[in-house]
Amino acid sequence: MYHPPGIRQKEELRAKYGFSMTDRIITTFGFASVGRGHFEVLAQLAPLLQSDPRIKVQLILSGNFLNELGKNIVHSNIHDIARDYHIGPQVTLVPDFISDLEVLNRMWISDIGFLYMGQHTLSSSSAASFFVSARLPLVVTASCHFDHLRRGVIRTGDFSLPMFCRTIWETLHDQPLLNKLRTDHEIGYQQFVWPNFGQNYLDVYKKAI
């Protein structure tokens, strides 16, 4: 279970992780892999970041021991994009494994998250549960990889990377929508967190007998 810190601790956590209270933080999380939008989304957002130094991108992307090459490619591209667009101070790459609590805290201090998948899959996103627990509004693609998400998300109509990035940017600037998505996450979290989730099954079982 994750209980978000009090609002007074938000400033402390932001300072701890290198952010200020005036920053607007876009965050993604997962194993660094080519094709997951980890550097591709950053490349699309880079010109927009140049227009507003308050907007920061936080990439929590540790390596997968089964895909060391993918990690190196992703991390290298992120560094290159930050350098070429002169947005280094706006890009925070967390390249190593960190505790689940730190992941959740880093998400909780953020304004919006994203998970990109450019195709349908036979699996569901495990990273998505962190965004739900942190009550962080999330933008995803139309991939069935995210079909298990019911609340707190914005789905793009297809796999278009420019549309996906435009949706991130526009949602980031829509505070009423962000507030609603956070509230939706809270509702969903309370439904599925233990022991509430178990109680739901027990209630169904009692009705059945």
Side-chain angles (χ1 to χ4, degrees):
M1 295 179 66
Y2 178 67
H3 299 289
I7 194 66
R8 291 183 178 179
Q9 290 150 309
K10 186 173 185 177
E11 184 173 1
E12 296 176 7
L13 283 172
R14 281 198 167 203
K16 176 180 179 181
Y17 299 133
F19 302 103
S20 74
M21 289 302 289
T22 59
D23 289 335
R24 304 283 286 167
I25 307 171
I26 303 169
T27 292
T28 195
F29 165 66
F31 289 126
S33 302
V34 176
R36 295 294 184 93
H38 295 154
F39 65 85
E40 298 92 337
V41 168
L42 179 63
Q44 291 280 326
L45 291 176
L48 298 173
L49 293 175
Q50 289 178 320
S51 69
D52 190 345
R54 298 172 304 164
I55 298 182
K56 308 296 174 63
V57 177
Q58 178 178 219
L59 305 140
I60 309 172
L61 302 172
S62 64
N64 183 336
F65 68 94
L66 295 176
N67 187 17
E68 187 71 15
L69 177 59
K71 179 199 74 172
N72 293 336
I73 292 173
V74 168
H75 289 179
S76 177
N77 273 277
I78 289 171
H79 289 304
D80 289 348
I81 293 166
R83 180 198 64 218
D84 294 346
Y85 283 90
H86 308 288
I87 54 172
Q90 293 171 260
V91 178
T92 296
L93 172 62
V94 182
D96 302 314
F97 285 100
I98 57 178
S99 69
D100 288 353
L101 179 59
E102 182 175 343
V103 172
L104 290 166
N105 282 339
R106 283 180 174 273
M107 287 183 174
W108 181 74
I109 64 169
S110 302
D111 296 283
I112 193 170
F114 73 85
L115 289 172
Y116 181 87
M117 175 62 70
Q119 60 190 7
H120 292 299
T121 70
L122 297 176
S123 61
S124 296
S125 171
S126 58
S129 63
F130 282 81
F131 293 86
V132 176
S133 295
R135 286 70 155 182
L136 180 61
L138 180 63
V139 176
V140 300
T141 63
S143 174
C144 63
H145 196 57
F146 308 112
D147 276 357
H148 60 297
L149 298 172
R150 292 290 181 265
R151 298 175 181 270
V153 299
I154 297 291
R155 287 182 172 81
T156 56
D158 54 26
F159 304 114
S160 165
L161 194 58
M163 177 186 290
F164 184 78
C165 295
R166 185 165 61 252
T167 302
I168 295 172
W169 193 260
E170 291 176 352
T171 307
L172 175 66
H173 291 86
D174 188 339
Q175 193 59 51
L177 178 55
L178 291 176
N179 293 341
K180 180 182 181 303
L181 292 171
R182 282 192 184 273
T183 299
D184 288 347
H185 267 322
E186 180 64 31
I187 294 171
Y189 181 83
Q190 294 303 329
Q191 286 179 337
F192 291 104
V193 71
W194 191 265
N196 299 346
F197 185 71
Q199 185 63 51
N200 291 337
Y201 270 100
L202 184 59
D203 291 343
V204 171
Y205 176 75
K206 288 180 178 178
K207 290 178 182 179
I209 61 174

